[in-house]
Every structure is written in C-alpha cells, then in structure tokens.
Amino acid sequence: ITSTKTTFYFLYDIARMHYLISFYFFFFQAEDGIRDAQESRGLGDVYKRQGTGFLTSGARDGSIFHHDTRLRHARVSASTGHMAEVCGLRWCPEGRQLASGGNDNMLKIWDARKDVPRHTHDHRAAVKAIAWAPFQRNLLATGGGTADGTIRLWNTCRGVQVECINTNSQVCSLLWSKKGKELVSAHGFQCGTPRELTELTVWSFPTMRKLTELQTGHSFRCLLYTSDAADEEDSVDLGGRRII
C-alpha cells in the first residue's frame, strides 16, 4: 500500500510540474520569444502585445496567429504573407503595427486592423532581429542573417528604408536603449566564414556610428535580454536597461 501511494504521489507531482512549467512558458516567457508548442503547424516566434491579453505567434508554414488569452478559445484571427517560417515578431510600443520577419528573407509591416501586410521589404537572409525605437514612432530596426549581415532602419509610415549598415556578420538580435538614442546589436557568424564573432556592438542614432564593441565571452552567438529588475548584477547597463 505504501508503495502504491508513493507511486501515485510521484506521478501526481510530475503531472503538476508539467502543468506549471507549461503555464509559465506560455504566459510569462512569450514576450521573450519562447516558442508556442501548441501550434499544430510547427514552431514559430511568439510575442506579447503590450498592455493587452493578446499574444501573436508565427508558424513554420508562414502563418501568423493572434490569440486573446482571456478567452477559452484563444485564437481570434490569422494572417498569411510569409512563404517560410516566421522567425521574428514585434509589436510597436503603441500596438498599432506589427513587424514580422521570416526565413523567406522578408520583412512585413502589418496594420493592427488588417490581415494583409501594409509594407513588404526584403533582406538577403532570414530576418529574426527586429526592434521598434521607443523614442520615435514608425522607426524600426531590423537585422539580416549570415548571407545579409546588415542592420536596416525603416520608416514604417512611409514604407521606406532610411539607413543600411553592413556589419559583415549575422545579426542575431537588436535592442534600443530606453533612455538614450542608442542601438545594441548581437552578432553571430561572420559573413563568408565559419567564424563566430559572439560580440555586442553599440551604435549611435541617427549617425549609426559605432560607439563600442563588447566581447561577450560566449562560445556561440548570443541574444539580448532586458530586465527592469534592480537587483540583476551580471548584465550590461545601457541607458537604464539591463542587458544580459
């Protein structure tokens, strides 16, 4: 009897832990790009629309789904436009525009009220690194993969490119400073070589002059993570935001 009870509680704890882990990943890690494992069409990027209960997820077949987590049946709408996996998603701070990047080398800008892209632009490689400027509306930064190696700035209202910087390396992640006009980029493979740079670069806006390069010490390419926690220590502080 004791053995049976022990086995029961053991299995119960496993099931309970699985539920808690699933709940934590879906609701609390979505904003940091955790993949949506419940998508039947394959894995894609997931991003939370600020100030709402909405999550937007991208699938391997190029579909984009919008979910209202306050509803029992969460999926409320879908958009199609990419021809390959959606690997980058970001809502602008005001929640009016969505930027999506794909393995089809395309960047698409969506209006929150429509299910067709407002603008479509291309890189020469997959577009995963996407960041909206917090200090200027309609200013978007994107980065291309190894075959591209550029950081591009866009005016999403006019649908035009305003700057293009060749970094000569894979752009894995982008992050704007919250208080200053600076942009941080995280890099991976160097273009044309198997060598990985694994470094962070700080750029000044609007000149896009390189301010500094930081060696991360990682063995492989890295991504940027932000936190407002005051007790985080192992991080780089840029403009009041902590970047691990």
Side-chain angles (χ1 to χ4, degrees):
I1 296 176
T2 302
S3 177
T4 302
K5 285 185 177 180
T6 301
T7 302
F8 172 79
Y9 286 123
F10 178 73
L11 293 176
Y12 172 79
D13 285 341
I14 290 178
R16 182 171 179 270
M17 183 60 68
H18 174 75
Y19 174 80
L20 291 176
I21 291 175
S22 299
F23 181 87
Y24 176 82
F25 266 65
F26 186 75
F27 285 95
F28 294 97
Q29 295 296 315
E31 188 168 355
D32 295 329
I34 294 297
R35 303 302 193 244
D36 185 356
Q38 298 180 353
E39 281 298 342
S40 60
R41 300 192 185 188
L43 303 179
D45 202 9
V46 180
Y47 196 75
K48 183 179 180 182
R49 191 173 174 185
Q50 296 183 12
T52 71
F54 286 94
L55 293 176
T56 298
S57 64
R60 282 183 175 173
D61 68 352
S63 301
I64 297 175
F65 301 105
H66 305 285
H67 315 264
D68 187 342
T69 59
R70 298 164 295 187
L71 302 178
R72 182 175 181 181
H73 301 288
R75 186 183 298 176
V76 292
S77 63
S79 305
T80 57
H82 287 280
M83 302 301 292
E85 179 181 359
V86 178
C87 53
L89 288 170
R90 285 295 183 275
W91 281 99
C92 72
E94 300 84 17
R96 298 177 181 178
Q97 298 180 89
L98 172 69
S100 64
N103 280 345
D104 55 1
N105 306 347
M106 292 295 176
L107 166 70
K108 294 183 181 290
I109 309 299
W110 308 76
D111 189 299
R113 299 163 296 180
K114 300 179 180 179
D115 58 1
V116 294
R118 181 179 180 184
H119 302 294
T120 298
H121 309 285
D122 63 324
H123 277 260
R124 295 189 300 273
V127 184
K128 178 177 177 61
I130 300 175
W132 292 92
F135 55 85
Q136 182 175 321
R137 285 189 177 184
N138 303 313
L139 177 59
L140 177 70
T142 60
T146 308
D148 183 282
T150 64
I151 296 174
R152 307 188 187 208
L153 302 182
W154 309 89
N155 181 318
T156 60
C157 179
R158 295 165 50 203
V160 297
Q161 177 179 295
V162 295
E163 187 64 86
C164 180
I165 302 297
N166 186 8
T167 70
N168 198 37
S169 63
Q170 178 186 22
V171 183
C172 304
S173 189
L174 291 169
L175 181 68
W176 289 97
S177 167
K178 193 174 183 180
K179 294 184 178 180
K181 293 185 177 182
E182 296 174 350
L183 178 68
V184 182
S185 57
H187 299 272
F189 288 105
Q190 191 171 13
C191 295
T193 72
R195 177 172 173 262
E196 291 200 76
L197 295 180
T198 66
E199 66 183 19
L200 304 180
T201 303
V202 183
W203 308 84
S204 174
F205 178 84
T207 63
M208 291 306 289
R209 180 174 59 89
K210 187 183 296 186
L211 297 178
T212 187
E213 293 179 346
L214 306 173
Q215 296 299 324
T216 65
H218 292 289
S219 300
F220 301 98
R221 62 184 183 269
C222 60
L223 300 177
L224 297 172
Y225 169 78
T226 62
S227 174
D228 294 325
D231 58 349
E232 302 241 12
E233 296 180 356
D234 298 327
S235 59
V236 175
D237 193 348
L238 174 69
R241 300 189 75 178
R242 297 186 178 273
I243 306 173
I244 295 177

